[in-house]
């Protein structure tokens, strides 16, 4: 009798284990089919949010390799008319947000040892980056500078940064061509420094390799980036469309009759495009965006959806684009 009981018990356990393995296998296949059905971009974006970078995740430092510290160049006169509207809209999407000013307020703003005025913009930038290096270097992987009249789609910026290593000396934005051989990034469109680029900028002023030689903030910073061997990144999408914009959308998206190009298009490092194909579906920034427009863009970006529309743009698909510079034309 005992051998029959042992045989029955063994068979029962074997059957249970087989059923358990079969169900697990079915669930795994279902999960894979759901993920694939959502498309490569959706899966990649999901992983981007949930998987911390091993390289940038030492003990006591849990931030993601695409965490962005945003800092706004502002002043006391603009807090109510401009800056508070950034705080209420796209500023909420940054990993951390700081507002740099000449005075400390309960807004809150960070007080920098510099006077207000356009002639002091580069000094303000220098002091702001030195402050970030001293107090916030380990709180983010990327550092975005934007004016208090710039609108930024942080998720699109995070997508661009997800392909890059913040421990490399990298520098991103709307690339202009004159004055600096490798070009420089437009201040109005906003620019991004990797953690290593921030380190090198501060080191450049410590060693004297970088100096305050000009009041033109973005160009002077670009010169320091070049001296410190910080590499500019091509931020155009796979179709060659720009993502950072030093003007509002209407300056680019409307077809124009033949005319002399405006200065900002003459400055473009890459051949400029006007009309509906000017700007990426994953645009990052627009400049000269004031109070009301901040909320309008926030609505268009995060709420408006055409019913039944199937999104066709595949940002990871390889497409041949024109990589000639504007200067080579």
């Amino acid at each position: 009798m005992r051998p029959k009981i042992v045989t029955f018990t063994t068979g029962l356990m074997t059957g249970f284990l087989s059923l358990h393995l079969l169900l697990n296998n079915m669930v795994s296949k279902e999960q894979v089919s759901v993920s694939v059905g959502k498309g490569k971009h959706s899966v990649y974006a999901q992983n981007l949010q949930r998987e911390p970078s091993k390289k940038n995740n030492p003990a006591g430092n849990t931030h993601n390799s695409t965490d962005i510290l945003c800092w706004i160049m502002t002043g006391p006169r603009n807090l109510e008319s401009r800056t508070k509207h950034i705080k209420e809209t796209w500023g909420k999407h940054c990993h951390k947000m700081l507002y740099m000013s000449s005075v400390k307020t309960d807004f809150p703003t960070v007080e920098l040892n510099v006077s207000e005025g356009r002639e002091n913009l580069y000094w303000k930038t220098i002091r702001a980056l030195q402050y970030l290096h001293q107090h916030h270097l380990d709180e983010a992987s990327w550092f975005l500078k934007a004016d208090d009249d710039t609108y930024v789609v942080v998720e699109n910026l995070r997508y661009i940064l997800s392909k890059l290593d913040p421990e490399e000396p990298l520098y991103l934005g709307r690339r202009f061509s004159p004055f600096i051989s490798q070009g420089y990034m437009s201040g109005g469109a906003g620019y991004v420094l990797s953690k290593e680029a921030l380190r090198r900028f501060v080191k450049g002023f410590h060693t004297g390799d970088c100096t305050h030689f000009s009041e033109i903030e973005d160009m002077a910073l670009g010169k320091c980036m070049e001296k410190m061997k910080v590499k500019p990144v091509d931020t155009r999408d796979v179709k060659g469309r720009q993502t950072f914009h030093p003007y509002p959308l209407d300056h680019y998206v409307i077809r124009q009759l033949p005319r002399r190009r405006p200065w900002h298009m003459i400055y473009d490092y890459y051949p400029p495009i006007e009309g509906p194909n000017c700007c990426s579906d994953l645009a990052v920034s627009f400049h000269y965006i004031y109070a009301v427009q901040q909320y309008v863009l926030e609505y268009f970006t995060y709420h408006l959806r055409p019913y039944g529309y199937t999104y066709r743009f595949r940002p990871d698909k390889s497409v041949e684009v024109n990589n000639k510079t504007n200067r080579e034309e």
Side-chain angles (χ1 to χ4, degrees):
M1 191 69 179
R2 252 176 226 284
K4 289 184 180 180
I5 293 175
V6 170
T7 302
F8 175 77
T9 304
T10 303
L12 186 64
M13 293 177 65
T14 303
F16 176 77
L17 290 172
S18 298
L19 180 61
H20 180 70
L21 291 171
L22 178 62
L23 290 173
N24 275 351
N25 188 46
M26 289 173 66
V27 170
S28 298
K29 286 182 178 179
E30 185 178 355
Q31 287 174 340
V32 169
S33 65
V34 169
S35 296
V36 171
K38 289 181 180 178
K40 180 180 178 184
H41 181 55
S42 297
V43 174
Y44 191 70
Q46 187 181 44
N47 290 340
L48 204 70
Q49 298 294 329
R50 297 184 180 180
E51 294 183 7
S53 167
K54 294 178 181 178
K55 185 171 184 179
N56 297 288
N57 196 25
N61 183 9
T62 59
H63 66 75
N64 192 295
S65 63
T66 52
D67 281 344
I68 303 167
L69 186 153
C70 307
W71 66 274
I72 304 300
M73 180 91 79
T74 190
R77 293 174 55 187
N78 293 341
L79 292 181
E80 284 297 314
S81 60
R82 298 185 186 183
T83 319
K84 78 172 186 180
H85 305 295
I86 289 178
K87 188 177 181 181
E88 292 299 318
T89 55
W90 68 265
K92 296 179 179 181
H93 302 275
C94 296
H95 173 68
K96 188 177 185 68
M97 174 65 89
L98 295 174
Y99 302 91
M100 303 296 189
S101 180
S102 58
V103 296
K104 184 177 181 179
T105 68
D106 293 333
F107 182 79
T109 54
V110 175
E111 180 181 4
L112 302 173
N113 184 22
V114 63
S115 300
E116 294 292 341
R118 192 168 187 83
E119 68 279 5
N120 290 313
L121 281 180
Y122 191 38
W123 275 123
K124 204 171 187 180
T125 301
I126 295 166
R127 298 291 179 246
L129 292 174
Q130 289 171 337
Y131 177 88
L132 293 175
H133 182 270
Q134 182 178 354
H135 298 284
H136 300 282
L137 182 65
D138 292 326
E139 295 181 22
S141 299
W142 303 91
F143 299 84
L144 164 70
K145 174 265 178 184
D147 289 346
D148 53 18
D149 57 351
T150 301
Y151 185 86
V152 177
V153 184
V154 178
E155 290 79 4
N156 290 347
L157 175 58
R158 189 174 287 117
Y159 170 74
I160 293 174
L161 297 176
S162 70
K163 302 171 181 293
L164 304 172
D165 184 353
E167 294 299 331
E168 293 293 323
L170 303 175
Y171 171 45
L172 301 86
R174 178 63 167 253
R175 195 171 176 184
F176 283 166
S177 64
F179 313 123
I180 312 295
S181 61
Q182 73 172 14
Y184 65 96
M185 305 303 170
S186 160
Y191 49 74
V192 184
L193 273 62
S194 68
K195 180 178 285 192
E196 177 59 20
L198 177 58
R199 292 190 191 106
R200 294 195 183 194
F201 179 85
V202 172
K203 180 181 178 181
F205 276 89
H206 180 72
T207 61
D209 290 315
C210 296
T211 60
H212 184 285
F213 73 96
S214 173
E215 295 177 358
I216 304 174
E217 166 236 347
D218 48 10
M219 183 272 292
L221 183 135
K223 185 65 175 177
C224 181
M225 294 288 100
E226 184 177 67
K227 280 199 170 186
M228 301 307 293
K229 301 188 185 309
V230 176
K231 302 172 186 175
V233 176
D234 183 357
T235 56
R236 296 175 301 162
D237 69 15
V238 294
K239 293 185 176 182
R241 300 174 300 183
Q242 297 280 5
T243 54
F244 287 75
H245 303 91
Y247 280 90
L249 180 61
D250 61 277
H251 280 63
Y252 307 97
V253 75
I254 300 171
R255 296 186 189 277
Q256 301 287 341
L257 295 173
R259 76 198 194 291
R260 179 177 173 80
R261 285 175 178 169
W263 74 267
H264 60 92
M265 289 190 175
I266 296 173
Y267 275 27
D268 266 337
Y269 188 86
Y270 300 105
I273 301 172
E274 291 183 289
N277 291 322
C278 67
C279 310
S280 176
D281 291 17
L282 298 181
V284 170
S285 69
F286 295 97
H287 190 211
Y288 296 119
I289 306 298
Y290 300 105
V292 172
Q293 291 96 326
Q294 292 281 349
Y295 297 96
V296 171
L297 281 178
E298 186 81 355
Y299 172 77
F300 284 155
T301 301
Y302 295 101
H303 299 284
L304 180 63
R305 296 291 183 271
Y307 179 78
Y309 175 72
T310 302
Y311 193 60
R312 299 181 184 88
F313 178 52
R314 296 290 178 265
D316 294 311
K317 185 177 179 181
S318 179
V319 178
E320 186 175 345
V321 299
N322 182 3
N323 285 316
K324 291 171 65 178
T325 70
N326 197 9
R327 292 175 293 180
E328 292 172 341
E329 287 192 310

